[in-house]
Amino acid sequence: AQKVTQAQTEISVVEKEDVTLDCVYETRDTTYYLFWYKQPPSGELVFLIRRNSFDEQNEISGRYSWNFQKSTSSFNFTITASQVVDSAVYFCALSEALGSSNTGKLIFGQGTTLQVKP
Amino acid sequence: DAEITQSPRHKITETGRQVTLACHQTWNHNNMFWYRQDLGHGLRLIHYSYGVQDTNKGEVSDGYSVSRSNTEDLPLTLESAASSQTSVYFCASSESGTGGRDTQYFGPGTRLTVL
């Protein structure tokens, strides 16, 4: 069965520190998609990135970067020079892509709460 | 701008009452999803739809129902509200039903309390 594990329940850092949020997934599919969402204190879910299983290139967007390693089934998220506005709950999610169970539904990890202190 | 809205944003109801949560999207997306968010469980899928007249059960569908009469709306009904259904409910939509590649965009959420 598909599963997403975010082992870090809570992380606290001081502003300007770098922080990495871990995400490990399990799937039997050869084609799948991975996502990161941010949930700030206001409660909405904000899409950050989508990655397909055939693209293992790392991606950088400003202070955000993502490291996808298929060999270890991990899709980790790093925030460089963290800011107070980065304080949020971050969710990693997996989408099924092929086979009879192809639903497009998202399987979420339990989330990591990041607190960035000034 | 296209968006996805949910109403009400907050709702308090009593055990046994029927409750309907509204979800409306103007993206013209085929797919719509309902999730609930609880501490320690992340988000779990309740029901989903790939288009008009199509509905499917998700991981935690017991006690919930949906209907899809048009592209824009997927209302979620709690047939007889229970305290265990106290949660935050999120609606989401995505463009197409195949491949799992399409990004889901979420509404602002509805906080439901069942007393």
Side-chain angles (χ1 to χ4, degrees):
Chain A
Q2 284 78 4
K3 184 179 178 182
V4 176
T5 301
Q6 295 179 255
Q8 304 151 309
T9 305
E10 293 184 15
I11 300 175
S12 181
V13 299
V14 176
E15 206 169 20
K16 297 184 183 179
E17 286 185 14
D18 298 348
V19 57
T20 296
L21 309 182
D22 297 332
C23 173
V24 175
Y25 61 92
E26 298 174 26
T27 180
R28 289 168 294 185
D29 290 333
T30 56
T31 302
Y32 50 88
Y33 295 82
L34 295 162
F35 301 79
W36 276 94
Y37 285 86
K38 174 182 180 180
Q39 186 175 41
S42 52
E44 73 272 24
L45 282 156
V46 179
F47 165 72
L48 295 178
I49 190 172
R50 180 186 73 203
R51 172 69 66 196
N52 77 57
S53 54
F54 295 109
D55 182 1
E56 290 193 66
Q57 278 193 334
N58 291 335
E59 181 153 344
I60 299 174
S61 176
R63 295 184 297 106
Y64 294 172
S65 62
W66 290 268
N67 180 257
F68 176 34
Q69 292 198 343
K70 212 167 178 178
S71 60
T72 57
S73 297
S74 65
F75 186 44
N76 296 336
F77 173 31
T78 297
I79 301 174
T80 302
S82 60
Q83 300 176 1
V84 173
V85 293
D86 296 326
S87 296
V89 181
Y90 291 87
F91 289 98
C92 181
L94 167 70
S95 178
E96 300 170 337
L98 291 177
S100 60
S101 61
N102 177 14
T103 64
K105 66 182 183 182
L106 290 176
I107 299 156
F108 284 85
Q110 294 188 1
T112 296
T113 300
L114 174 65
Q115 183 181 32
V116 181
K117 299 178 181 178
Chain B
D1 288 343
E3 61 177 357
I4 180 166
T5 58
Q6 295 182 234
S7 62
R9 296 294 312 279
H10 302 271
K11 174 78 176 178
I12 299 175
T13 190
E14 295 177 345
T15 301
R17 289 190 180 267
Q18 184 181 77
V19 177
T20 296
L21 308 182
C23 175
H24 179 80
Q25 53 98 1
T26 58
W27 294 94
N28 200 33
H29 284 165
N30 289 323
N31 300 345
M32 296 184 74
F33 304 82
W34 274 104
Y35 296 86
R36 60 178 287 175
Q37 182 179 17
D38 305 288
L39 279 174
H41 290 280
L43 282 87
R44 293 178 292 174
L45 184 65
I46 305 171
H47 282 287
Y48 56 102
S49 168
Y50 286 149
V52 176
Q53 302 302 328
D54 176 76
T55 61
N56 305 279
K57 293 182 178 181
E59 178 187 1
V60 289
S61 61
D62 287 349
Y64 302 95
S65 64
V66 294
S67 62
R68 187 91 179 268
S69 59
N70 58 52
T71 300
E72 296 80 18
D73 299 289
L74 187 70
L76 176 71
T77 298
L78 286 69
E79 304 293 346
S80 177
S83 57
S84 60
Q85 294 176 309
T86 293
S87 186
V88 179
Y89 291 86
F90 286 97
C91 180
S93 70
S94 66
E95 189 169 350
S96 68
T98 59
R101 66 185 180 278
D102 293 301
T103 299
Q104 290 185 26
Y105 295 95
F106 286 79
T110 294
R111 184 175 296 276
L112 176 68
T113 302
V114 182
L115 301 176

